[in-house]
Amino acid sequence: MPKHSPSSLNPRAPLVLDTRDLPRRPGALRTHRRVVPAPADLGVELITVPVGADLDLDLRLESVSEGVLVSGTITGPVQGECGRCLREIDYSVAVNVQELYAYANSTTDDTTDEDEVGRMQDDLIDLEPALRDAVVLTLPTNPLCREDCPGLCPECGVHWDDLPADHSHQQTDPRWASLSQLNRTEE
């Protein structure tokens, strides 16, 4: 019995890959292209992949001596809000994924920690942890609507782009108002 005992996978789950048609001979290769719904909580505080949004998986499953190497690209929409001005952000992200899933009772059981390498359950691979790692690590923790976003005026909360160039909240103390006239040059 291996040192880990994972819970059983549902072969019909969208992010579970069935490798029964992939020979366990190093070099054997199969490609999988499918669209799956995004799982919940796939993001960070200000930006996330909407739950149920279409994720396009373009994957390559390759038999290697210790298991199956899954590599490819995952593409999907992200939505959130700008960390400076709170405007909505909506764009598409494409991330690369590459993960080894070890066969049960392979030498990786003895040579790696349990969480270091993905493990196959029978002929099934759970792609969700690798997908989650790849997508979440790609997303910015402080997303911007554009690189030079000026943000909001801290006094009135209006977007700087919507304010006139001379916008100011500076108030002169009436006791010092007459002194401000001294700095003005006569025209």
Side-chain angles (χ1 to χ4, degrees), residues 17-173:
L17 304 176
D18 190 344
T19 63
R20 282 182 287 181
D21 66 339
L22 180 67
R24 289 192 175 199
R25 182 182 69 250
L29 177 71
R30 297 288 185 267
T31 58
H32 285 284
R33 184 166 178 104
R34 65 167 87 162
V35 176
V36 300
D41 301 322
L42 187 58
V44 292
E45 188 174 346
L46 292 177
I47 194 161
T48 186
V49 176
V51 176
D54 286 345
L55 294 177
D56 183 21
L57 308 179
D58 187 6
L59 303 174
R60 179 180 146 158
L61 282 63
E62 183 178 358
S63 283
V64 293
S65 60
E66 293 299 315
V68 175
L69 180 65
V70 177
S71 57
T73 305
I74 300 168
T75 308
V78 292
Q79 295 176 344
E81 59 186 26
C82 178
R84 290 185 189 160
C85 70
L86 305 179
R87 288 188 176 163
E88 287 188 25
I89 298 173
D90 189 8
Y91 64 94
S92 182
V93 66
V95 296
N96 293 323
V97 64
Q98 185 171 26
E99 185 81 19
L100 173 65
Y101 292 89
Y103 296 131
N105 301 317
S106 68
T107 58
T108 56
D109 286 340
D110 297 327
T111 60
T112 61
D113 291 333
E114 187 174 342
D115 59 349
E116 204 172 339
V117 173
R119 308 289 177 181
M120 292 181 63
Q121 293 181 30
D122 298 320
D123 291 317
L124 301 176
I125 292 174
D126 184 7
L127 191 62
E128 186 172 344
L131 172 132
R132 189 171 297 282
D133 288 348
V135 171
V136 172
L137 291 174
T138 301
L139 297 176
T141 55
N142 190 23
L144 299 176
C145 59
R146 65 178 205 259
E147 194 63 36
D148 63 341
C149 176
L152 304 174
C153 172
E155 297 291 324
C156 62
V158 176
H159 197 280
W160 280 111
D161 285 341
D162 299 336
L163 295 170
D166 63 344
H167 177 75
S168 173
H169 292 278
Q170 183 178 5
Q171 296 178 357
T172 306
D173 188 328

Side-chain angles (χ1 to χ4, degrees), residues 4-16:
H4 57 281
S5 55
S7 60
S8 64
L9 294 175
N10 178 358
R12 295 179 186 213
L15 291 171
V16 172

